[in-house]
Amino acid sequence: MSNPLSERILQMSTSATLAMAAKARELKSEGKDIIGLSLGEPDFNTPDFIKEAAKEAIDQNYNSYSPVDGYADLKQAIIKKFKRDNGLDYQPGQIVVSTGAKQSLANVAMAVINPGDEVILPAPYWVSYSEIVKLAEGVPVEVPTSIDTDFKMTPEQLEKAITPKTKMLWYSSPCNPSGSVYSKEELEALAVVLRKHPGIIVVSDEIYEHINFKNAHHSMAACEGMYDRTVTVNGVSKAFAMTGWRIGYIGAPEYIAKACNKIQGQITSGANCIAQRATIAALEAPVSNIKYMIDKFHERRDLVLKLLGEIPGMNLNVPEGAFYVFPDISYYFGKTIKGKTINNATDFSLLLLEEALVATVTGEAFGNPNCIRISYAASEAELQEAIKRIKEVLS
Ligand code: PMP
Ligand code: GLU
């Protein structure tokens, strides 16, 4: 019998981040002492003031379908957040709340991309971008960057990548996986190019906004001429340690928001009602409420950079945000370690899993074959032990 599955699904790759996390869990359940640094997930609990809001919502009998695009008062909280943190003015019709930023991204892809449309992805990019674009029958156009430009795309590179088929540009800042943050000047310089091509719609994924060690976050939508064609994606998973609550949202031109609302109306009927109520508490609270987590990530970043810096062949940028390091490990290509020849980043990541019992993610999943991603959303003790093991294997 020929394969009964659709071409669409047969051509889709499994999420490398989630696959590695599953593999690490499986090895752990077999009794192996695996340290999981593969998943981008805060190791904190959701703050109590958010949990309390969820408990209250249950007691207040929030149990019905919410409006498809989110509760009106949640949208107001999002509007205030965009104003407070990003200087952006949105109306309720421009906001859509979804089941995680992942769904926000999928909605936007479905709403905007026609078959064959090109979507520029500065690489490294977050693992799901290319698969979501392909699911919408778009064509991902990778623009490779390297550690020399702090893994950021230059305006010249953007200009060169644009063709008559370019429909969108997608990027994250702070970036998953490189931790790089585009400065206001760098965004303005990209906007200069984009202003020459008014048909290009931008997805600015700002889910790591608050995990920024220089406290200098800037939104593409705030750049001159960009508001009317930028979709600002955000969510509560990362900064509020709420990955499992599954709430993301967009601020977008109204016609895009409307289209996303229509998609959700047919596919999910909207996000979980209790999680939406909890998100109001999260967004209305001062950002200082979550500073203890950001400070910890900052300390861990410094620790990880110091410890990895002691290992030869680990070429590191200094990430200004998110909770990942993305070392260029191409120095090891062609070398044989523990009887295993390292030909690429995937071999290297597997070596670390099998010989150091440390789970990381190959850079190939993020469009960069020279690097691996290490998440430092883990305890100091785990990070120290993991890097000690990596050092031993590599020496
Ligand atoms: N964008 C980026 C850059 C991410 O790292 C993640 C992490 N999962 C997401 C979007 C999706 O987040 P969520 O669906 O948990 O809101
Ligand atoms: N965004 C996180 C990561 O990159 C969570 C896993 C996922 O959603 O892919 O690891």
Side-chain angles (χ1 to χ4, degrees), residues 104-378:
S104 303
L105 291 163
N107 285 347
V108 174
M110 294 298 169
V112 171
I113 298 171
N114 275 319
D117 283 347
E118 292 179 357
V119 178
I120 295 176
L121 305 179
Y125 49 80
W126 181 46
V127 61
S128 294
Y129 289 175
S130 54
E131 295 308 312
I132 292 174
V133 166
K134 282 192 271 176
L135 194 62
E137 298 183 62
V139 180
V141 175
E142 298 185 13
V143 176
T145 69
S146 73
I147 195 163
D148 304 327
T149 56
D150 189 23
F151 296 109
K152 286 185 260 190
M153 177 174 68
T154 63
E156 295 73 31
Q157 285 181 301
L158 172 61
E159 182 98 63
K160 255 179 110 177
I162 293 172
T163 77
K165 287 191 169 167
T166 306
K167 186 73 179 278
M168 302 187 88
L169 160 67
W170 285 31
Y171 72 93
S172 60
S173 177
C175 173
N176 178 2
S178 68
S180 306
V181 175
Y182 282 90
S183 68
K184 187 170 182 209
E185 293 68 34
E186 286 163 340
L187 289 178
E188 290 286 357
L190 295 176
V192 169
V193 177
L194 292 164
R195 282 198 289 271
K196 290 191 254 170
H197 303 274
I200 299 176
I201 294 166
V202 179
V203 164
S204 173
D205 181 345
E206 306 183 10
I207 196 161
Y208 294 95
E209 165 182 25
H210 293 306
I211 309 173
N212 183 320
F213 311 130
K214 289 207 167 153
N215 204 13
H217 180 79
H218 294 283
S219 297
M220 180 60 96
C223 293
E224 192 193 323
M226 295 309 298
Y227 176 83
D228 285 334
R229 55 179 169 125
T230 298
V231 180
T232 308
V233 177
N234 212 320
V236 290
S237 283
K238 311 294 170 171
F240 297 94
M242 291 174 71
T243 47
W245 297 66
R246 311 304 307 126
I247 296 288
Y249 56 87
I250 57 167
E254 192 168 354
Y255 72 96
I256 294 180
K258 256 191 177 159
C260 292
N261 190 3
K262 184 162 143 189
I263 293 167
Q264 278 191 188
Q266 294 290 16
I267 293 185
T268 65
S269 303
N272 174 287
C273 64
I274 305 302
Q276 287 193 56
R277 303 311 300 168
T279 298
I280 298 176
L283 296 183
E284 284 185 342
V287 179
S288 56
N289 277 25
I290 51 168
K291 191 164 177 296
Y292 66 98
M293 293 189 270
I294 318 302
D295 289 345
K296 267 281 168 235
F297 288 133
H298 195 168
E299 279 171 32
R300 292 171 187 175
R301 180 205 68 175
D302 291 345
L303 175 73
V304 164
L305 285 181
K306 176 180 162 291
L307 296 178
L308 285 177
E310 290 165 6
I311 302 177
M314 285 273 173
N315 196 5
L316 289 147
N317 67 323
V318 177
E320 283 178 20
F323 35 59
Y324 309 103
V325 287
F326 198 60
D328 183 318
I329 44 80
S330 53
Y331 164 86
Y332 290 96
F333 294 174
K335 297 194 164 50
T336 300
I337 300 167
K338 302 255 178 201
K340 292 172 177 134
T341 303
I342 308 300
N343 289 315
N344 50 47
T346 303
D347 290 345
F348 189 86
S349 176
L350 282 175
L351 174 84
L352 298 189
L353 182 65
E354 287 160 8
E355 300 297 334
L357 304 182
V358 175
T360 59
V361 186
T362 171
E364 294 190 44
F366 305 94
N368 184 314
N370 293 330
C371 299
I372 60 163
R373 189 189 79 174
I374 300 176
S375 161
Y376 56 84

Side-chain angles (χ1 to χ4, degrees), residues 48-102:
D48 285 343
F49 72 95
I50 301 173
K51 293 199 282 198
E52 286 309 321
K55 289 180 204 166
E56 269 171 37
I58 293 174
D59 288 338
Q60 290 166 356
N61 295 313
Y62 275 94
N63 39 232
S64 310
Y65 289 124
S66 72
V68 169
D69 49 354
Y71 286 116
D73 50 351
L74 171 54
K75 286 186 172 198
Q76 285 303 333
I78 291 170
I79 287 168
K80 279 195 200 132
K81 175 248 133 23
F82 273 131
K83 182 77 187 158
R84 177 191 69 187
D85 301 335
N86 314 108
L88 296 172
D89 285 303
Y90 288 112
Q91 298 300 315
Q94 296 179 274
I95 307 292
V96 180
V97 179
S98 301
T99 304
K102 220 175 216 176

